[in-house]
Amino acid sequence: MPRLCLSSVLLLAAFAGLVGPTATAQLPTETRAEKEARLRWWTEARFGMFIHWGLYAQAARHEWVKKHERLTDEQYQPYFDHFEPDLYDPRAWARMARQAGMKYAVITAKHHEGFCLFDSRFTDYKATNTPIRRDLLREWVDAFRAEGLRVGFYYSLLDWHHPHYTVDRNHPQSAQSAADYDRLNQGRDMAIYRQYLRDQVRELLTGYGKIDIIWLDYSFPSGAHGKGRQDWDSENLLAMVRELQPGIIVNDRLDLLDVEGGWDFRSPEQFKPREWVTMNGVRVPWETCQTFSGSWGYYRDEMTWKDPKQLLVLLIETVSKGGNLLLNVGPTARGTFDQRAQDRLQAIGQWMAVNSRSIYGCTAAPDEFPVPEQSLLTFDPDTRRLYVHLLDWPMGQLVMPGYAGKVQYAQLLHDASEVKISTSRTTIWMSEAAKEGDLVLTLPMVKPEVEIPVVELFLQ
Ligand code: GLC
């Protein structure tokens, strides 16, 4: 019998349909209008909470700690053995999210470390086997839904615990040479992991009711020792996702950017795009995900927390460019939100309580409305109201270039107090005729007690 090397056996078997990648399933097609309708609740919501919670909360020094410090499974094990978030009260989390003005939330069912917050049938590496012994995810879903928020799961495609996940350049045991990778990956069979990943995504999308969003994170196909669509079998995985949860909104990290229906929105991470995100020149739905302080998981000693004003600017600016903001909290291993996170959520909520009209259902202003000095504009296309967010309080008057004749009424949004509009500016010593087309808003000299005051313009 001629000797065949393993790869030719596999090739022959693949031809015979015995092993190898199954045929690629068809992704459902939809028109642009259908997609817009499917995403409508999400684009109107504009603001959601990301939650990164896992064993790394206990290390409290980045969710990538296992990789950063090249920890072995054994070295990481204490975090599993001691995981007992006894103060976990997802209803309190949900309340804080709602009070901050968030309309949806996405939680890490599993992050790169491989630990599952849910009671998976396919692994022992899960919350129910730690001292807390609870399906933390189920409680989370129930609590967030009860608070009126839409729910989403983040599921890591990477897995630093599964014995068949092959070592790649992002793995804690990443190597120096191709030969080292070969040695490390002997006995690892990515096909087994691929099945595991598929089984778990199925579990998540069948066992917890209607799931509004799924974040499959992430691909790194370029360069050596990366992973991409073949490794995850992305198209078939996504076809299954769409079949199990037809309305679900899917992020863009499956390495299917060039595939029709391969993603629903772009996800610039910790990055403020300069303008509405486009693909091939067309504006697309987008969501920027951002942290309070840099890392996603709880990081005790990180001192680079953004202040409330920065966070509000982030939200407003995102909406002013037609995007969503997914703002992350990394809860502690006791199951609480750190005081710094609570303070910021509260400050955002205080602003949203009286200003959310400039956020929900809003988008970029039409081009005919230039952005006045030191401000950000959002626009509600249904009510035809324009919102001027004043980042730096002006001295009494604000000139709106080119707005004359376009505004019927103006008020401060937080207290509905009238803002006088006119087309000239006069003082005792000098009268400055406004330039043709200018509109002048007369504002109180003292900045109201609102972090970023908003003027609501009722357009003609
Ligand atoms: C990256 C990081 C990860 C974080 C995510 C959020 O992919 O690996 O830690 O969960 O981005 O977008």
Side-chain angles (χ1 to χ4, degrees):
M1 185 179 147
R3 285 181 53 203
L4 290 174
C5 67
L6 182 63
S7 59
S8 34
V9 170
L10 286 175
L11 200 69
L12 286 172
F15 268 111
L18 297 175
V19 292
T22 46
T24 303
Q26 269 296 301
L27 291 171
T29 51
E30 61 187 345
T31 62
R32 206 179 143 85
E34 283 165 344
K35 180 173 172 184
E36 261 175 42
R38 180 164 60 82
L39 267 63
R40 181 144 310 131
W41 72 263
W42 180 84
T43 39
E44 286 184 353
R46 286 300 183 216
F47 189 27
M49 177 180 278
F50 217 173
I51 299 176
H52 276 68
W53 198 37
L55 301 180
Y56 44 80
Q58 235 169 151
R61 52 183 194 276
H62 210 286
E63 77 283 356
W64 275 63
V65 59
K66 194 175 184 188
K67 162 72 174 161
H68 289 167
E69 299 178 16
R70 298 181 66 81
L71 303 177
T72 61
D73 283 346
E74 203 186 355
Q75 289 168 315
Y76 206 70
Q77 188 60 23
Y79 305 131
F80 181 88
D81 295 339
H82 298 96
F83 189 65
E84 192 172 13
D86 58 325
L87 300 179
Y88 177 48
D89 176 6
R91 283 164 309 180
W93 293 11
R95 214 176 308 120
M96 287 187 270
R98 184 180 53 73
Q99 284 171 356
M102 294 156 162
K103 296 281 196 188
Y104 60 98
V106 179
I107 190 169
T108 50
K110 179 193 93 170
H111 202 261
H112 308 338
E113 64 179 0
F115 175 71
C116 299
L117 291 181
F118 62 109
D119 191 13
S120 173
R121 279 196 295 126
F122 302 99
T123 185
D124 293 333
Y125 203 52
K126 56 184 177 182
T128 41
N129 288 336
T130 65
I132 196 69
R133 302 213 156 275
R134 283 154 57 184
D135 183 330
L136 302 169
L137 192 68
R138 188 167 300 286
E139 294 176 32
W140 182 87
V141 168
D142 293 345
F144 274 68
R145 274 209 199 105
E147 203 66 42
L149 286 112
R150 301 263 194 162
V151 294
F153 293 151
Y154 169 111
Y155 181 87
S156 173
L157 298 168
L158 288 70
D159 196 310
W160 298 334
H161 181 79
H162 197 286
H164 286 290
Y165 181 89
T166 50
V167 175
D168 54 41
R169 67 168 187 269
N170 283 326
H171 193 277
Q173 270 71 59
S174 61
Q176 296 300 326
S177 67
D180 283 349
Y181 276 108
D182 287 348
R183 185 179 44 74
L184 283 166
N185 284 327
Q186 254 173 32
R188 288 184 186 246
D189 180 354
M190 194 60 189
I192 296 177
Y193 175 71
R194 215 166 11 251
Q195 186 61 42
Y196 172 78
L197 134 72
R198 197 178 161 88
D199 288 339
Q200 285 206 319
V201 171
R202 179 185 290 278
E203 261 186 330
L204 288 169
L205 298 185
T206 51
Y208 296 84
K210 182 167 184 285
I211 301 305
D212 300 292
I213 301 172
I214 190 159
W215 260 76
L216 294 162
D217 197 40
Y218 65 90
S219 304
F220 44 106
S222 55
H225 311 293
K227 283 196 172 71
R229 67 180 83 182
Q230 269 103 25
D231 301 283
W232 324 124
D233 192 13
S234 293
E235 280 179 79
N236 286 315
L237 182 64
L238 182 55
M240 181 187 80
V241 167
R242 300 252 191 238
E243 188 193 315
L244 296 175
Q245 295 273 348
I248 202 165
I249 299 179
V250 186
N251 72 333
D252 61 346
R253 298 189 181 176
L254 272 168
D255 185 24
L256 295 178
L257 280 181
D258 56 340
V259 174
E260 179 78 36
W263 53 278
D264 285 331
F265 62 90
R266 298 305 321 271
S267 62
E269 178 178 329
Q270 310 229 44
F271 181 78
K272 258 199 207 183
R274 278 164 59 193
E275 39 193 42
W276 194 317
V277 177
T278 60
M279 287 286 277
N280 307 318
V282 179
R283 289 176 163 189
V284 294
W286 66 277
E287 172 188 71
T288 179
C289 48
Q290 299 273 350
T291 59
F292 283 134
S293 63
S295 72
W296 299 87
Y298 177 63
Y299 197 139
R300 182 189 59 209
D301 302 332
E302 204 167 50
M303 294 299 158
T304 45
W305 285 64
K306 300 169 184 75
D307 70 26
K309 182 168 180 184
Q310 270 179 302
L311 295 164
L312 284 171
V313 170
L314 186 60
L315 173 62
I316 299 160
E317 193 173 331
T318 300
V319 178
S320 80
K321 294 167 182 169
N324 279 26
L325 172 64
L326 189 63
L327 187 57
N328 181 74
V329 178
T332 70
R334 291 295 299 277
T336 56
F337 284 5
D338 172 59
Q339 192 58 46
R340 293 167 291 186
Q342 290 195 40
D343 292 346
R344 282 155 182 83
L345 290 172
Q346 223 187 2
I348 295 171
Q350 211 181 342
W351 185 87
M352 285 290 276
V354 285
N355 291 297
S356 64
R357 214 146 84 196
S358 76
I359 300 295
Y360 301 141
C362 288
T363 187
D367 290 340
E368 60 175 298
F369 297 101
V371 185
E373 271 171 29
Q374 312 276 15
S375 67
L376 290 167
L377 290 182
T378 64
F379 175 66
D380 185 327
D382 292 333
T383 59
R384 283 197 51 77
R385 294 186 198 175
L386 193 71
Y387 296 95
V388 189
H389 302 78
L390 300 168
L391 305 183
D392 203 3
W393 190 248
M395 280 281 286
Q397 293 190 321
L398 181 72
V399 176
M400 310 282 294
Y403 281 63
K406 294 182 179 167
V407 177
Q408 37 155 313
Y409 186 76
Q411 63 182 12
L412 284 173
L413 178 56
H414 70 276
D415 65 355
S417 61
E418 183 181 10
V419 171
K420 294 268 193 199
I421 52 179
S422 68
T423 45
S424 68
R425 301 170 61 210
T426 315
T427 66
I428 301 178
W429 302 109
M430 177 171 174
S431 121
E432 189 184 68
K435 281 204 212 104
E436 182 91 48
D438 281 0
L439 189 75
V440 181
L441 304 183
T442 302
L443 295 161
M445 191 54 70
V446 178
K447 182 187 174 215
E449 295 276 308
V450 177
E451 186 72 84
I452 299 176
V454 184
V455 181
E456 184 175 44
L457 301 179
F458 296 68
L459 300 180
Q460 292 288 4

